[in-house]
Amino acid sequence: MSKLSSLETNVRLSILNNNSESGSVFGRGIAVLCRGVREKGSLNAAAKDIGMAYSKAWRIIRDTEDALGVELLVRNGAHGSHLTDEGNRLLDTYFAIEKELSQKAAELYKKLLK
């Protein structure tokens, strides 16, 4: 067996707004952060869960929203935060595409190694 066959692929997906001058994109990091908000009901809890300061997490959310032109998160003050409908749709779409691309990449890698 070739040493190459023990290696795996890793697909990095980004969703961006080509009309934005910002370099911010919706990628794996922001997707994980948004999933944490969905699961925990709080940006603060989601940020802590991945070892990130709340202020940095909030800045990343704002920068990404500005770049995409889409509101991702609604703050409910002391009651936490939740994703907007568009935020939920984008998150679900991101993970569905990532899953399919990862599967295809793994299949293609094995096929091309033969």
Side-chain angles (χ1 to χ4, degrees):
M1 180 196 294
S2 165
K3 290 181 181 181
L4 294 177
S5 63
S6 66
L7 302 177
E8 297 179 4
T9 58
N10 181 21
V11 176
R12 293 186 179 257
L13 174 65
S14 298
I15 299 173
L16 57 95
N17 179 353
N18 284 324
N19 296 321
S20 174
E21 294 180 10
S22 170
S24 293
V25 297
F26 190 94
R28 184 86 171 128
I30 189 98
V32 168
L33 187 60
C34 286
R35 182 173 56 196
V37 171
R38 178 192 283 172
E39 293 171 354
K40 306 229 180 254
S42 160
L43 179 60
N44 191 27
K48 283 182 182 177
D49 203 41
I50 60 173
M52 181 183 291
Y54 172 77
S55 58
K56 181 176 181 179
W58 188 242
R59 186 176 67 251
I60 290 170
I61 293 284
R62 280 193 327 259
D63 290 349
T64 305
E65 287 178 333
D66 290 344
L68 298 180
V70 174
E71 185 179 23
L72 300 172
L73 193 70
V74 175
R75 286 177 66 184
N76 297 329
H79 302 290
S81 302
H82 67 272
L83 297 179
T84 63
D85 289 342
E86 285 184 318
N88 275 305
R89 287 184 64 208
L90 184 60
L91 184 63
D92 291 341
T93 301
Y94 177 88
F95 281 120
I97 293 170
E98 182 185 63
K99 181 180 179 180
E100 190 166 331
L101 286 176
S102 294
Q103 290 170 344
K104 296 288 183 188
E107 292 168 10
L108 187 57
Y109 184 73
K110 287 179 184 177
K111 176 183 171 185
L112 294 176
L113 276 181
K114 291 181 181 184

